[in-house]
Amino acid sequence: MDKKRNSPIEVLIQLFVIFLCTYIAYKFTQTHDIIPKSVIRLPDVYVSENDVWHLSIIFTTIFAIILIPSQLILGHGVFYKPQRFASEYLVYLCAYTTASLYVFFVTTINYHPQLIAAIGLFSTVAYILVFIGWYAVKETKKSKLSSLYLLPYSVLRKLFSIKGILVLIYFLSPLLLGKAFVSDRDTANLITQIRIWFNPAEDSGWGLKQIYTNIDLSQPMLVRQAPGDSENLYVLERNGRIIKLNYPESGQVDLVLDATTLLGEVEIENGALGFDFHPEFNQPDSQNTGFIYLYYTEYRGDTQVNKLSRFDISLPDIDARLHSETTILSLPRNPDGFHNGGSIEFGPDGLLYIGLGEGVHPKGASSYSETLRSGILRIDLDTNNTHSSYSPHEPFAHGIRQNYLIPKDNPFVGNPEVMDEYWAIGLRNPFRFTFDPETRKLWVGDVGSTVWEEVNIIEKGKHYQFPFIEGRHPTGKEKPEKLPAPEQAPFYTYEHTAYDRAVIGGTVYRGNKFPELFGKYIFADNYSAKIFLSDTDKEEVTEVKLIAQGSQFAQRGISSVVQLKNGDILVTLLGAASHPTGEILSLIKSDQKTIQQANHTTDDQAAESETSSEYDENLTRQLFSINCSRCHGREGRGDGPDAESLDVKLPDFTSEEFQSTRTDHEIRDIIEKGGAPLQKSPMMPPWGSFLKENEIDHLTIYTRNLGKTNKHHTH
């Protein structure tokens, strides 16, 4: 009997085929389906280039682990003859299936059934072609070459043997599990638990402790300490109130400013967004001793104006403080309510820095030469400082700008393409930023669109690439041949998941209380309420450490991360819009944790009782506006500001076609479970983990009523 010696070259060829086919399959499935939707409707799943690299390594490694021993045992390779190839193909199927299951259960890579199927198909075809080529080169006798017709017969015969049928059942298991994962919530939960077991989160050594458990807070946006005052904490609530609390404990709430009447309707991303004290606050001999600056939105009917105003809180009564408002900026804008920015901060130079989102502009006026938006401004509030600053040029057609000067050393002074107030441009929605007190670098959390979030270090006169690039990836929007400023890439980026989707800029820690945090950047994600830790001594980083997570998510999540004078790190959680469940949390070491589960449960139960099971259209409209309108639009027509970036057609909830083809159960199902389990777009996140049962019920009613409202308006 003609025996062939085992050749390591044959094994290496097989491993190279698997490695190459993994990447080819990835490229193919970005634009095509291996499994037609008419056969099995599988959701689109995002897999990054980095994940594909890991997939290639995983498949190649597992194939090596299985193929090499089989070659040694059998004594000859897969390219020996058709009958031998058939036996080895069963080994290949086992290796392929094992690799697929490893990816599915053990890794955190998004499981993409179309990609896994494509790897199997392409590697099988390549396997056969390589065998034919190798066989043709090695066997020159006509009788040997003519035996190639035995190849399909030999493979089918092996597959339909008892051993082959068992291998086929094993081979089909990843596809069946993938289908069950996206179709059945119980299966998805079980598999998720297995994944968590294989990928346990390390104990970070940190946790969060709630302070002011006896005080009701209505969506706290930001906390600050006034200059020269380390005994009190000032809290900005989204409705426009600023309250003062003793720190760290307080039995009394002092109302400092009540600007609620100035804001109008508070929904979507509107409200009181940021505030800061004048650097000379609390200095009795200064005319600025009582000045506080507030950035807020005034939203009434179909009109929205974003405002920066000064208030004098040294005045004796609340009404006088309110009427002391002095307008600095008043910027009319498209009233969709999104991308307002939010931070204002006095820098180490005593000048005020202002973060404006890309949505802050009226319709038809969006260039940097005609309006203020999508960047960081730098202004001088000392109107007597004419030796180093000057008055803004007039006219200004798109709003009011007054009671400030422009520093002569601003980077775009004299540039006709960019207004003089700008310090940096090309940002999407710089919601929170702070200065590193040691290096004076300005760290910004720039909220992204549908895929990427960014942390940026702002440098004078730089362009941060929006809207042409988000993260480090082109958006498809055309970039002008010449930009008015040099480009600057982000310091750190992360991709959206169902939960991580809105970065909250934080602080570079320079306190003495936690030496292990010194020099680290601490920031958060609003939706997931996760808190992260990053190195700061590099030009960019690709990994950060998760150190803690708040107990409220989505529209109730984190709104700020702040360092106090004594080195404490405080985090604000918004809580529900309908009732005061906001929280102020302190970052603590694990050995300092106090169990508050009983209190937290009690608070949740109280909140649940306050959130009546009876449908309230106004509260539910707020819920829809905050969580759903970014994609679906304020009126549910599928025209939200992020809709264009989703690469999927969104339904029009007001249309007869939608309302007549969806049951209440189907609408509720997709709100609770998200798109993927229902074979729809995975860009629709599952809200079951974030919203209460009655809130999902109310959103279902609200979505149904959008069709009735449209019908009423039509007739």
Side-chain angles (χ1 to χ4, degrees):
M1 185 173 179
D2 186 18
K3 294 278 187 180
K4 299 290 184 183
R5 290 187 306 157
N6 184 43
S7 171
I9 296 176
E10 296 170 1
V11 176
L12 292 176
I13 290 174
Q14 293 176 69
L15 298 180
F16 177 74
V17 165
I18 296 301
F19 187 89
L20 184 63
C21 285
T22 303
Y23 189 76
I24 293 173
Y26 168 69
K27 287 297 184 182
F28 183 86
T29 52
Q30 285 188 307
T31 54
H32 299 83
D33 290 334
I34 287 292
I35 304 171
K37 287 184 169 56
S38 58
V39 177
I40 301 178
R41 187 173 179 84
L42 296 169
D44 297 323
V45 178
Y46 180 78
V47 178
S48 69
E49 292 265 4
N50 189 52
D51 287 340
V52 172
W53 169 253
H54 286 117
L55 278 176
S56 301
I57 297 296
I58 289 168
F59 270 83
T60 305
T61 301
I62 290 178
F63 266 77
I65 291 171
I66 293 177
L67 289 179
I68 291 174
S70 71
Q71 294 279 334
L72 294 173
I73 292 170
L74 296 172
H76 42 67
V78 70
F79 307 124
Y80 173 42
K81 61 182 180 180
Q83 294 86 346
R84 186 73 262 162
F85 174 88
S87 296
E88 292 290 347
Y89 187 63
L90 293 186
V91 177
Y92 156 84
L93 290 178
C94 288
Y96 164 81
T97 306
T98 303
S100 301
L101 292 174
Y102 181 89
V103 171
F104 193 63
F105 284 111
V106 179
T107 75
T108 58
I109 298 171
N110 285 333
Y111 190 77
H112 192 335
Q114 293 281 6
L115 173 57
I116 298 299
I119 294 171
L121 176 62
F122 290 156
S123 57
T124 293
V125 172
Y127 223 55
I128 293 171
L129 292 176
V130 170
F131 166 73
I132 293 173
W134 183 273
Y135 192 72
V137 169
K138 289 179 66 177
E139 306 296 343
T140 57
K141 295 180 182 179
K142 187 175 180 180
S143 60
K144 292 284 186 181
L145 289 174
S146 64
S147 65
L148 281 174
Y149 79 92
L150 294 173
L151 180 64
Y153 169 77
S154 301
V155 171
L156 289 174
R157 184 178 178 184
K158 281 290 183 183
L159 289 176
F160 285 99
S161 66
I162 294 176
K163 184 191 298 183
I165 290 172
L166 293 175
V167 169
L168 278 178
I169 293 171
Y170 183 53
F171 166 73
L172 292 172
S173 62
L175 181 61
L176 297 175
L177 281 170
K179 173 64 176 174
F181 181 77
V182 300
S183 301
D184 182 73
R185 190 176 183 84
D186 292 334
T187 302
N189 288 338
L190 175 61
I191 292 171
T192 300
Q193 289 301 314
I194 295 173
R195 282 184 160 187
I196 291 172
W197 187 82
F198 276 111
N199 299 275
E202 294 182 7
D203 183 2
S204 68
W206 298 91
L208 294 168
K209 175 183 176 181
Q210 184 180 358
I211 57 178
Y212 304 126
T213 56
N214 60 328
I215 294 174
D216 291 335
L217 295 170
S218 180
Q219 295 199 289
M221 296 294 291
L222 179 64
V223 296
R224 287 192 185 277
Q225 288 180 312
D229 181 2
S230 59
E231 296 181 357
N232 295 300
L233 199 65
Y234 290 78
V235 184
L236 173 66
E237 295 182 322
R238 190 179 175 211
N239 59 17
R241 297 197 325 157
I242 297 178
I243 60 174
K244 184 171 72 172
L245 307 171
N246 292 127
Y247 183 76
E249 296 179 355
S250 183
Q252 179 180 340
V253 176
D254 292 328
L255 182 60
V256 173
L257 179 68
D258 186 354
T260 55
T261 58
L262 302 179
L263 273 63
E265 194 170 3
V266 176
E267 62 170 11
I268 312 178
E269 295 177 2
N270 293 328
L273 303 175
F275 80 108
D276 202 4
F277 298 93
H278 193 283
E280 297 174 2
F281 187 87
N282 275 339
Q283 295 182 16
D285 58 345
S286 171
Q287 64 179 0
N288 302 308
T289 184
F291 287 169
I292 195 169
Y293 294 82
L294 176 66
Y295 178 56
Y296 68 93
T297 64
E298 183 180 7
Y299 186 28
R300 304 179 192 277
D302 293 328
T303 302
Q304 179 172 331
V305 181
N306 283 25
K307 291 186 174 182
L308 171 65
S309 292
R310 183 185 73 209
F311 297 87
D312 187 352
I313 63 171
S314 66
L315 297 175
D317 64 78
I318 289 296
D319 287 341
R321 295 172 188 175
L322 177 65
H323 290 104
S324 72
E325 179 180 20
T326 301
T327 299
I328 310 297
L329 289 173
S330 179
L331 304 174
R333 55 157 295 171
N334 190 336
D336 62 20
F338 293 99
H339 316 155
N340 295 300
S343 271
I344 60 172
E345 183 113 1
F346 280 94
D349 52 11
L351 302 175
L352 185 65
Y353 292 74
I354 307 157
L356 296 179
E358 55 93 18
V360 186
H361 65 92
K363 189 173 183 180
S366 60
S367 73
Y368 290 117
S369 64
E370 60 182 340
T371 192
L372 301 172
R373 64 183 290 262
S374 195
I376 306 294
L377 312 183
R378 178 182 183 244
I379 62 175
D380 186 350
L381 293 169
D382 182 357
T383 54
N384 296 318
N385 189 21
T386 54
H387 66 282
S388 60
S389 301
Y390 62 91
S391 297
H393 299 304
E394 297 296 342
F396 180 53
H398 304 294
I400 298 171
R401 49 180 189 158
Q402 60 189 20
N403 299 308
Y404 70 88
L405 302 178
I406 298 174
K408 293 178 181 177
D409 62 348
N410 269 9
F412 297 103
V413 170
N415 186 334
E417 297 183 58
V418 184
M419 289 180 64
D420 296 352
E421 284 91 338
Y422 282 104
W423 183 253
I425 58 178
L427 296 164
R428 182 178 183 272
N429 194 29
F431 180 69
R432 285 285 175 260
F433 60 71
T434 50
F435 285 90
D436 179 347
E438 183 172 297
T439 66
R440 296 193 168 193
K441 290 181 179 179
L442 180 58
W443 290 75
V444 171
D446 192 18
V447 180
S449 181
T450 57
V451 179
W452 295 101
E453 301 296 306
E454 296 183 3
V455 172
N456 288 289
I457 303 175
I458 299 300
E459 297 181 19
K460 176 180 179 179
K462 292 293 185 68
H463 191 303
Y464 286 81
Q465 303 180 311
F466 180 83
F468 322 111
I469 294 174
E470 284 197 81
R472 295 186 174 89
H473 301 265
T475 62
K477 295 186 178 180
E478 186 177 354
K479 182 195 299 185
E481 290 186 10
K482 183 180 179 182
L483 291 174
E487 295 181 61
Q488 178 65 44
F491 171 78
Y492 172 66
T493 69
Y494 64 92
E495 293 176 81
H496 281 198
T497 67
Y499 310 121
D500 298 324
R501 50 189 292 192
V503 65
I504 299 295
T507 182
V508 178
Y509 188 73
R510 297 297 179 185
N512 297 320
K513 186 169 185 176
F514 305 121
E516 57 270 61
L517 298 182
F518 192 85
K520 305 291 186 181
Y521 183 58
I522 306 167
F523 68 103
D525 185 275
N526 165 256
Y527 265 65
S528 66
K530 293 176 182 175
I531 300 172
F532 302 99
L533 194 66
S534 169
D535 292 328
T536 60
D537 56 353
K538 304 180 177 101
E539 289 187 4
E540 65 178 56
V541 298
T542 57
E543 294 184 357
V544 297
K545 182 180 180 181
L546 171 64
I547 59 170
Q549 186 170 19
S551 60
Q552 301 190 61
F553 313 101
Q555 88 280 7
R556 303 186 177 105
I558 292 175
S559 54
S560 69
V561 180
V562 176
Q563 179 188 328
L564 301 187
K565 295 179 176 68
N566 68 350
D568 284 348
I569 295 291
L570 297 190
V571 175
T572 53
L573 279 177
L574 285 170
S578 56
H579 45 274
T581 60
E583 299 176 20
I584 300 175
L585 308 172
S586 179
L587 185 67
I588 58 173
K589 293 183 178 180
S590 293
D591 56 7
Q592 297 174 318
K593 286 183 182 178
T594 58
I595 299 175
Q596 302 181 61
Q597 186 61 43
N599 289 337
H600 181 68
T601 302
T602 302
D603 291 342
D604 279 351
Q605 290 171 346
E608 188 72 54
S609 65
E610 289 181 37
T611 308
S612 170
S613 59
E614 294 183 6
Y615 175 69
D616 184 313
E617 183 171 359
N618 184 52
L619 292 179
T620 308
R621 178 170 54 80
Q622 293 181 31
L623 197 65
F624 182 90
S625 295
I626 293 169
N627 292 300
C628 312
S629 57
R630 276 183 60 180
C631 299
H632 292 287
R634 287 184 62 201
E635 299 178 355
R637 299 182 184 277
D639 57 355
D642 289 347
E644 189 177 327
S645 305
L646 292 175
D647 198 29
V648 61
K649 182 174 174 56
L650 294 174
D652 179 357
F653 299 149
T654 69
S655 70
E656 178 67 24
E657 187 275 332
F658 175 85
Q659 296 291 341
S660 63
T661 56
R662 308 297 198 285
T663 65
D664 290 351
H665 176 75
E666 289 172 330
I667 294 173
R668 192 192 191 286
D669 229 22
I670 196 168
I671 294 172
E672 179 185 4
K673 299 177 182 178
L678 303 174
Q679 294 81 58
K680 298 183 184 298
S681 172
M683 298 303 289
M684 170 64 184
W687 291 99
S689 301
F690 287 155
L691 301 178
K692 295 181 172 63
E693 289 287 326
N694 62 324
E695 290 176 321
I696 296 175
D697 291 338
H698 294 170
L699 280 174
T700 303
I701 297 170
Y702 184 81
T703 303
R704 180 63 80 199
N705 286 347
L706 285 171
K708 296 176 183 177
T709 302
N710 181 65
K711 186 175 181 180
H712 172 74
H713 289 323
T714 301
H715 295 287

